[in-house]
Amino acid sequence: MDQTGHLWKPAEGIDCALKTMEVVSWIPWSNSEVQTFLCLVGQERIHRDLDGATRNEKTFREVSQLMAAHGYQRTSRQCRDKLKKMKSDYRTIKENRERSGPNSLKHWKWFEQMDAIYGKRPVSIKMESGLDSTTAVLDPMMDNKCFSSCVGFSTTSHLANGSDNKPAAAAMNTNDLNLTQCEVYQVVVTPKEMTKIENPWRTLIWNSEKRMELMESIKTYKPTVSSVSQARVLLIGPVGAGKSSFFNSINSVFRGHVTSQAIAGYSSSSLTTQFRTYSVKAGREGKPLPIILCDTMGLEDTKGAGLDVEDISSILEGHMPDRYQFNPSEPLHPDASGYRKSPDLKEKIHCLSYILDATKVFVMPEKLAEKLKAIRQKANLLGVPQLVVLTKVDEACPLVKENLTNIYRSVFIKEIMQEASSKLGMPLSCIVPVRNYVEELDLDQNTDVLLLSAVIQMLRFADNYFDEISDQLSNIQNKE
């Protein structure tokens, strides 16, 4: 094991060796890893350095170090090769769109981000190599199949007699081609996404009885203030985090099948343009549950785009009417149509839930983090309890994607939650992970349990709000 914690072991069935070499790990890139990578190479300084030089190994080493800081172990060569491949894919999709139009059937999930980086300038076709001498030597060897991608290396070597790769062997062995023994090492990397602890750090029962118990608790919930029959929970978060999908998922659980009442999907800007208040019904013709989920326009990190922070205060205090059309350049004002000048307690927000994409917490733009902190300050002043709901946990961690019950055994998910806690200044107990229904047609028991557990936390936080109101009323009555 080396000083970085990597386990080194000899590759089996080969009698050649490289004492100093950059070893390639063949672990596939996860979505969260690619997301982090693009955010890094898209930074102006790094993008400029990569686009302006043919030998930029130093910059790729920096990218590799930054990836490591986010928990991803990728060598500079891997970063170079990944960017080269993504730029090639981007050019192909872009050319296809130019020929067939923007509605072309060819779609690539990273096109928008790549276009944001390279769309305003031609994609450089310069060689992003800048390889050091050792890595440069490996290129012809790999091209000639000396190493195979299945285990990282071939089980046979042509170096012993120097017949097939003399230039490479000469460069590695100071022109001595009489190479009789070479020892190759293979690095085995266990990324944080694949690290699992034996005992879960939160206890959650995953069975049908628990699912029914949670559903019944939500159905029979009653606010402690008699003038309020339904707790109002506000959902806010960045574009694409899954606010509308969260409501659809909760609605699906109680309907007994996957539904899509709220507009949801993938877009670079918010699909939700109105303030919406949604009641959840117990069954197709059942009565509304004692909770209202309020959906909003997505937050964006640029000024004058997305939900205006000033509109948050209007929503929290109950001034904003249902179906109000958001205007990013002009927040709601008292003279607007439908503005509630003296809202009742039942029209105010009783719990604020930040909906965050788990795959983007580590790479959250600074301006977006500032907006969330500003919203948190407003909610604190109004005494509104706050909760963080992390979506897309299955995309963030392969262990969770494999089995959702690993959620509280995943080291990486806990680190994401801790990062969200740090960014928003909220305790870990105020952060819950969920998995929305976005591609399924049938319900899943484990997904339901996680979603329902989040709703239970929202109702508990709403109770805290009602308790504060009750205490304030009691103090006023005592003074009188």
Side-chain angles (χ1 to χ4, degrees):
M1 181 175 291
D2 68 5
Q3 60 183 356
T4 64
H6 294 156
L7 177 64
W8 292 78
K9 66 180 184 181
E12 298 178 359
I14 181 170
D15 194 30
C16 66
L18 300 173
K19 292 297 184 181
T20 57
M21 61 179 290
E22 185 175 317
V23 183
V24 178
S25 171
W26 298 96
I27 298 174
W29 290 61
S30 65
N31 285 339
S32 59
E33 199 171 2
V34 176
Q35 180 74 45
T36 302
F37 178 68
L38 289 181
C39 287
L40 293 175
V41 299
Q43 293 179 15
E44 182 61 30
R45 180 184 60 80
I46 293 178
H47 175 63
R48 184 175 61 250
D49 291 345
L50 292 177
D51 201 42
T54 56
R55 297 188 63 81
N56 40 34
E57 174 65 11
K58 181 179 178 181
T59 307
F60 278 114
R61 285 200 197 101
E62 181 181 356
V63 173
S64 174
Q65 292 168 358
L66 291 171
M67 289 287 287
H70 288 288
Y72 303 111
Q73 301 298 327
R74 293 293 177 181
T75 66
S76 57
R77 179 187 176 86
Q78 287 175 298
C79 293
R80 185 209 68 166
D81 290 346
K82 185 64 175 177
L83 184 59
K84 184 177 180 180
K85 175 66 166 58
M86 295 191 74
K87 288 170 73 172
S88 175
D89 291 343
Y90 169 71
R91 283 194 297 269
T92 300
I93 298 296
K94 189 174 180 67
E95 290 170 359
N96 184 74
R97 288 192 173 191
E98 290 174 352
R99 289 194 303 267
S100 307
N103 295 324
S104 168
L105 293 176
K106 284 186 174 292
H107 179 70
W108 185 41
K109 68 170 67 176
W110 307 115
F111 181 82
E112 283 72 19
Q113 287 175 266
M114 288 292 290
D115 197 48
I117 300 173
Y118 296 104
K120 295 181 179 180
R121 67 185 75 183
V123 181
S124 172
I125 57 174
K126 298 174 183 177
M127 179 178 179
E128 297 113 348
S129 58
L131 301 179
D132 56 30
S133 58
T134 304
T135 310
V137 164
L138 291 178
D139 273 338
M141 297 172 64
M142 289 185 174
D143 291 341
N144 286 283
K145 310 298 182 184
C146 180
F147 301 123
S148 83
S149 60
C150 59
V151 295
F153 306 103
S154 172
T155 56
T156 60
S157 172
H158 301 290
L159 292 178
N161 58 20
S163 59
D164 292 346
N165 285 288
K166 289 184 179 181
M172 286 189 295
N173 211 41
T174 61
N175 291 317
D176 181 5
L177 300 184
N178 188 23
L179 193 63
T180 58
Q181 184 177 4
C182 218
E183 193 174 349
V184 175
Y185 289 90
Q186 173 184 3
V187 64
V188 178
V189 183
T190 302
K192 292 181 179 179
E193 298 99 311
M194 297 302 292
T195 306
K196 181 169 62 173
I197 57 177
E198 184 176 353
N199 298 315
W201 56 278
R202 277 184 186 172
T203 303
L204 192 59
I205 300 173
W206 306 88
N207 57 35
S208 58
E209 289 78 12
K210 183 62 177 180
R211 177 180 180 275
M212 294 304 298
E213 177 189 325
L214 293 171
M215 291 182 69
E216 191 62 26
S217 295
I218 295 170
K219 289 178 182 178
T220 57
Y221 169 82
K222 289 183 180 181
T224 55
V225 177
S226 58
S227 62
V228 179
S229 60
Q230 292 175 296
R232 289 169 71 93
V233 179
L234 176 62
L235 310 177
I236 65 170
V239 173
K243 300 180 298 299
S244 301
S245 293
F246 178 76
F247 161 73
N248 286 336
S249 298
I250 299 300
N251 199 32
S252 298
V253 175
F254 285 94
R255 284 295 184 97
H257 58 85
V258 175
T259 66
S260 185
Q261 181 178 347
I263 298 175
Y266 301 96
S267 177
S268 58
S269 59
S270 181
L271 291 174
T272 302
T273 59
Q274 294 181 327
F275 175 64
R276 292 301 314 274
T277 58
Y278 293 108
S279 288
V280 181
K281 292 183 178 180
R284 184 179 180 186
E285 298 180 358
K287 65 178 182 179
L289 299 179
I291 184 172
I292 294 177
L293 296 176
C294 304
D295 196 10
T296 59
M297 190 177 194
L299 292 169
E300 297 188 38
D301 57 345
T302 55
K303 189 175 182 180
L307 180 65
D308 193 292
V309 175
E310 293 303 318
D311 276 331
I312 299 295
S313 295
S314 297
I315 299 173
L316 294 175
E317 295 179 277
H319 296 301
M320 186 171 289
D322 186 29
R323 297 182 183 275
Y324 169 77
Q325 185 72 37
F326 289 109
N327 184 350
S329 61
E330 184 180 358
L332 177 68
H333 54 85
D335 296 329
S337 175
Y339 182 90
R340 299 192 189 104
K341 295 185 178 180
S342 301
D344 297 327
L345 180 60
K346 65 181 180 181
E347 295 169 325
K348 297 182 179 181
I349 296 300
H350 311 130
C351 173
L352 171 58
S353 293
Y354 303 94
I355 311 296
L356 300 181
D357 183 341
T359 68
K360 299 180 180 179
V361 171
F362 280 112
V363 292
M364 181 185 297
E366 185 177 347
K367 290 184 179 180
L368 180 59
E370 291 174 356
K371 276 190 176 183
L372 290 172
K373 288 180 180 178
I375 294 170
R376 177 154 167 70
Q377 290 176 353
K378 291 179 181 293
N380 287 339
L381 290 174
L382 295 172
V384 180
Q386 297 151 71
L387 181 75
V388 175
V389 176
L390 284 179
T391 62
K392 306 182 183 180
V393 290
D394 54 324
E395 294 183 23
C397 178
L399 280 174
V400 177
K401 188 176 185 64
E402 176 186 304
N403 190 335
L404 197 58
T405 62
N406 286 328
I407 189 73
Y408 291 127
R409 298 177 66 190
S410 167
V411 172
F412 189 54
I413 290 296
K414 187 172 184 179
E415 288 189 358
I416 294 175
M417 294 171 68
Q418 289 171 332
E419 181 70 12
S421 170
S422 175
K423 275 187 165 58
L424 274 73
M426 297 174 66
L428 202 59
S429 59
C430 295
I431 302 176
V432 293
V434 300
R435 177 182 178 275
N436 289 333
Y437 286 111
V438 293
E439 59 183 26
E440 301 82 359
L441 296 179
D442 299 306
L443 299 181
D444 171 72
Q445 177 179 286
N446 294 334
T447 301
D448 289 356
V449 168
L450 209 56
L451 287 165
L452 293 168
S453 298
V455 175
I456 289 292
Q457 285 301 108
M458 292 175 177
L459 295 178
R460 289 172 178 171
F461 278 39
D463 275 346
N464 295 336
Y465 179 87
F466 296 133
D467 289 343
E468 285 294 314
I469 296 296
S470 297
D471 290 343
Q472 292 174 15
L473 293 175
S474 296
N475 291 334
I476 292 175
Q477 292 174 354
N478 291 334
K479 289 180 180 180
E480 292 177 350

